[in-house]
Amino acid sequence: MDLNYQAEDLAFRDTVRAFLDANLPKDLQQKVLNHKRLSKEDFVRWHKIVAKQGWVGTGWPTQYGGTGWTPVQRHIWEEECATYGTPPILPFGVNMVAPVIMAFGNEAQKSYYLPRILNCEDWWCQGYSEPGSGSDLASLKTRAERQGDHYIVNGQKTWTTLAQHADMIFCLVRTDSGARKQEGISFLLIDMHTPGITVRPIIMLDEDHEVNEVFFDNVKVPVENLIGEENKGWTYAKYLLGHERTNIAAVGRAKRELMFLKRLAIKQLKNGKPLLDDPLFSAKVASLEIEIMALEMTVLRVLSQESAKRGPGPEASMLKVKGTEVQQMLTELMVEAVGPYAIPFDRSYLEGEHEHSVTEDDDAAPLAPYYFNYRKTSIYGGSNEIQKNIITQMILGL
C-alpha cells in the first residue's frame, strides 16, 4: 500500500488535529502521556466527546452511524489520537460486539444496541474465557438452558476486563452439551444488572483492579438476546476474535511509546553520554523501530481487505503476535533505560492523587507497573502460541 498521503489525506489529518486541539481535555491528555491510570469517568468523557463529533464508529458502515472513512483515514485518526495522547475508545462495544451484531444480529438488535454503543449508553465487557477454557475456548462449560422465552444461564467467566463497570456482557454459552464442542455454543447478550450475576475482582500485581471473575447463578436471559442461530455461536466468536486481534496491534500507540523511549534514553546517561548513543542500546531501539514500521504496513493491508468487504484473515493472528511482542519490548527497554529508578511503586501517583511521584522522576515512576501489566498482552485475545498454530495452518499449510 502506498503510504505517501494524497492531498485529501493531508487535509483530513489537519481536520483531525484541529478537532484534537480544540476538544481533548488537558487533564486526560496528561494522564495518558504520563502513563497514569484512567477511571471509568475518563473513558466515558472522551467517548462522548468523540461521539458528539460522530467519529466513534470509524470502521462502521454509514448506515449504522459510522464515519465511512477509508483505511488511510482510519489509520490517520488512530495515529493522531495516539500522538496527542487521547484515552482509547474501549473496543468491547465498538470494535468487538458491534461488528457481530451488524453481521449476524436481527434488525431489532441492530436498531436497539448499535446507537447505544455509539453514544456510550452501555458499557460492554466480554464473556469468553473460563477457568478451564482459555486458549481452548471451545471447551467452555457455562450453560444456557432454554425454558420458554428465556435462557437460564449458569457458570463462570474469568479475566473479564472492566466488568465492574459494565452494563452488558456478550457471552459464549453452551446450549447443546451433546454436540461436538464447537457446534454446541451460542452467543448471548446479557444485562449485567440481572439478578444472579456476581462480579468478583481480581487484583493484579500492580494492585490495579482491571479484571474480574463473573458468576452466573440461574440468570434469566430473554431469548431475543440470542445473536443469530442457536448453536452457531462459534462462527460468530471467530468473527469477533479476528476484529479483536487486529485492534490489539495498536500501531499508533507503539509509535508514541517509541518516541517516549527515545526521550528516556536521551535523558539517561551512560559514561557521561546519553544512553541512546550507546551502540548496543541504540541497536535495540533501531531493531524495534523496524518492527513497528513492518507492523504498520501489515495493519494497513488488513484495513484495506476489510474495506473490500473481506473480514480479517490469518493476518489478524500475525498482527496479534507481532503487535504484542512490540508492546512488550517497548516496556522492557523503558525499564532497562531507567534501571533502578523504575523500582519504587507509587500507587498514589499512578491514581492521580499527586502531581509528582515520590522519587521526583515522573517518567520512571509508572514504568515497572507498566512493564508487569503488559506481560498479559501475549496471552489475551488468544495466546501467541495459539496464533502461531493458526498461521502455520492457514498461511503455511502445515
Side-chain angles (χ1 to χ4, degrees):
M1 178 175 286
D2 183 7
L3 279 183
N4 294 313
Y5 291 146
Q6 302 299 313
E8 58 267 28
D9 298 322
L10 295 174
F12 175 77
R13 186 175 64 183
D14 290 340
T15 300
V16 168
R17 288 176 176 176
F19 169 76
L20 294 173
D21 284 332
N23 293 279
L24 175 58
K26 296 301 181 185
D27 61 318
L28 295 185
Q29 183 182 45
Q30 289 306 306
K31 275 190 172 184
V32 173
L33 295 179
N34 293 320
H35 303 102
K36 292 184 178 181
R37 292 173 180 168
L38 296 168
S39 67
K40 176 183 179 180
E41 292 71 26
D42 293 332
F43 287 113
V44 171
R45 179 156 56 122
W46 177 242
H47 187 124
K48 288 185 177 294
I49 289 171
V50 179
K52 186 177 180 180
Q53 182 72 8
W55 288 357
V56 169
T58 59
W60 291 27
T62 54
Q63 70 188 90
Y64 298 124
T67 60
W69 288 347
T70 67
V72 172
Q73 288 175 320
R74 291 167 61 188
H75 179 70
I76 289 171
W77 165 252
E78 295 289 343
E79 185 166 50
E80 293 302 321
C81 284
T83 301
Y84 271 75
T86 72
I89 300 294
L90 291 176
F92 306 107
V94 175
N95 296 328
M96 294 169 69
V97 74
V100 172
I101 294 172
M102 292 178 206
F104 306 106
N106 58 43
E107 291 306 313
Q109 291 166 339
K110 293 174 186 177
S111 62
Y112 179 76
Y113 289 112
L114 295 180
R116 296 177 66 86
I117 291 171
L118 277 182
N119 296 319
C120 203
E121 294 176 61
D122 294 323
W123 182 297
W124 285 82
C125 64
Q126 178 182 24
Y128 272 28
S129 295
E130 298 183 3
S133 305
S135 294
D136 183 20
L137 183 59
S139 67
L140 63 90
K141 295 180 173 59
T142 296
R143 305 184 317 278
E145 299 177 7
R146 176 78 178 262
Q147 294 185 9
D149 58 357
H150 284 78
Y151 288 101
I152 305 301
V153 179
N154 285 279
Q156 178 188 354
K157 299 295 180 178
T158 194
W159 308 119
T160 312
T161 302
L162 301 177
Q164 71 270 27
H165 304 316
D167 303 297
M168 297 291 299
I169 182 170
F170 53 92
C171 242
L172 292 183
V173 296
R174 189 160 300 283
T175 44
D176 184 353
S177 57
R180 194 168 68 93
K181 62 182 183 179
Q182 287 91 347
E183 295 175 354
I185 293 171
S186 297
F187 195 107
L188 283 183
L189 311 180
I190 303 177
D191 187 333
M192 287 289 285
H193 305 293
T194 308
I197 295 179
T198 302
V199 178
R200 184 179 299 167
I202 300 174
I203 303 303
M204 305 300 286
L205 185 63
D206 60 359
E207 298 186 12
D208 194 15
H209 178 192
E210 183 180 6
V211 291
N212 304 267
E213 298 174 287
V214 181
F215 297 89
F216 301 88
D217 183 13
N218 291 322
V219 175
K220 291 182 67 175
V221 181
V223 168
E224 56 261 31
N225 286 25
L226 173 72
I227 292 292
E229 299 179 46
E230 191 174 275
N231 299 325
K232 299 295 184 182
W234 188 247
T235 298
Y236 315 146
K238 290 190 295 182
Y239 183 84
L240 184 149
L241 285 170
H243 286 270
E244 179 186 14
R245 289 163 187 161
T246 302
N247 287 289
I248 284 173
V251 173
R253 184 173 62 199
K255 292 169 73 172
R256 182 191 72 214
E257 295 300 273
L258 177 67
M259 296 305 297
F260 177 79
L261 170 62
K262 289 181 177 180
R263 291 197 301 272
L264 275 182
I266 291 172
K267 187 173 70 171
Q268 300 297 321
L269 299 180
K270 180 178 180 181
N271 299 324
K273 297 181 179 180
L275 178 62
L276 194 59
D277 291 344
D278 177 75
L280 291 178
F281 191 84
S282 63
K284 293 178 184 178
V285 174
S287 176
L288 180 57
E289 187 164 8
I290 292 169
E291 293 283 357
I292 293 173
M293 293 170 65
L295 181 66
E296 183 175 26
M297 299 300 107
T298 309
V299 166
L300 286 168
R301 288 206 309 271
V302 171
L303 288 175
S304 180
Q305 289 177 359
E306 290 183 17
S307 69
K309 308 302 181 185
R310 300 194 302 270
E315 296 88 353
S317 293
M318 295 169 56
L319 289 177
K320 200 278 175 175
V321 173
K322 295 308 298 182
T324 56
E325 289 177 352
V326 162
Q327 291 163 23
Q328 290 181 344
M329 182 56 69
L330 279 164
T331 65
E332 290 167 14
L333 290 180
M334 289 175 191
V335 171
E336 181 179 341
V338 300
Y341 294 105
I343 293 175
F345 179 62
D346 187 354
R347 181 174 180 177
S348 61
Y349 174 70
L350 296 177
E351 300 286 356
E353 297 172 8
H354 301 294
E355 185 177 357
H356 298 292
S357 67
V358 292
T359 64
E360 299 183 356
D361 189 338
D362 295 346
D363 287 337
L367 296 185
Y370 190 28
Y371 166 84
F372 286 121
N373 184 275
Y374 267 67
R375 300 308 93 194
K376 69 189 179 187
T377 62
S378 53
I379 301 172
Y380 67 37
S383 72
N384 284 10
E385 290 78 11
I386 296 296
Q387 301 314 308
K388 290 175 182 178
N389 286 344
I390 293 172
I391 292 167
T392 58
Q393 293 170 6
M394 297 185 68
I395 297 180
L396 303 178
L398 299 177

